[in-house]
Amino acid sequence: MRKRLIPKTLFPNKRGGGMELTYKPQLQIGPICLGMSRADARQILGRQWTEFKKNEFSQSTTDAYDELGIYIYYDVHDIVKGVETFPESKLAINGLQLFGKGLREISVLLGGLGFQSEETSSGINFLNGSLRFYAPDYDENADAKVESIYVVFP
């Protein structure tokens, strides 16, 4: 039986809309934790979500919290397996705001913190692929702006 991991605080954006998320590598992003159930995630976020299948091969549905700027992906047992963030989420890693920056700048900033990068055709991955930065124009422009950041939980 899995232990329930429910964080005690959210970091709401005082201007309304998104939320300020912090990332703890492979453990937590904002209030969403490794091992958290769909029911717990929905309860803790307490906002309107839209449930959808990402594609025809998906074995489980995804919860989209558009107002917060996050998608939460689940495994077939409804346990969080990843979180995709968008600019509204205001994701920060070690205090660094990352949206609005180009991939080259992010690579330098996170490299300075000891994060090793791996380039892909659509972005840069860190931490053995558990932290993925997506910029659709990256293959043409190393300064392409990040459109989403995906965090994979092991």
Side-chain angles (χ1 to χ4, degrees):
M1 176 153 192
R2 289 185 184 254
K3 182 178 177 184
R4 289 180 73 174
L5 300 171
I6 301 178
K8 295 180 179 157
T9 59
L10 288 174
F11 306 102
N13 179 340
K14 292 180 176 31
R15 293 181 303 273
M19 63 190 330
E20 295 175 11
L21 297 176
T22 55
Y23 171 66
K24 293 182 182 174
Q26 301 180 355
L27 295 175
Q28 182 175 348
I29 180 167
I32 307 302
C33 297
L34 173 67
M36 183 176 276
S37 71
R38 182 187 303 261
D40 287 344
R42 287 177 172 177
Q43 178 185 0
I44 209 156
L45 291 174
R47 304 233 183 164
Q48 184 65 31
W49 68 86
T50 303
E51 187 174 345
F52 69 97
K53 278 203 168 195
K54 186 76 173 174
N55 61 47
E56 68 271 14
F57 305 108
S58 297
Q59 294 182 333
S60 185
T61 56
T62 298
D63 287 348
Y65 292 85
D66 292 329
E67 184 180 325
L68 301 175
I70 60 174
Y71 287 179
I72 304 177
Y73 298 85
Y74 302 92
D75 66 16
V76 295
H77 304 291
D78 279 346
I79 301 299
V80 174
K81 68 177 188 178
V83 178
E84 186 173 11
T85 64
F86 300 93
E88 299 83 4
S89 71
K90 307 202 179 0
L91 176 65
I93 296 177
N94 287 23
L96 298 171
Q97 293 292 322
L98 301 171
F99 283 107
K101 295 182 176 13
L103 280 174
R104 185 186 335 232
E105 181 180 3
I106 288 170
S107 184
V108 169
L109 289 170
L110 293 181
L113 296 173
F115 287 70
Q116 295 206 358
S117 65
E118 170 193 353
E119 291 188 27
T120 70
S121 62
S122 60
I124 299 176
N125 296 342
F126 294 89
L127 301 172
N128 295 319
S130 66
L131 181 61
R132 304 172 185 171
F133 291 79
Y134 173 68
D137 300 327
Y138 180 62
D139 58 343
E140 299 169 13
N141 175 10
D143 291 319
K145 300 289 186 219
V146 171
E147 290 192 10
S148 73
I149 302 169
Y150 184 68
V151 175
V152 179
F153 290 125

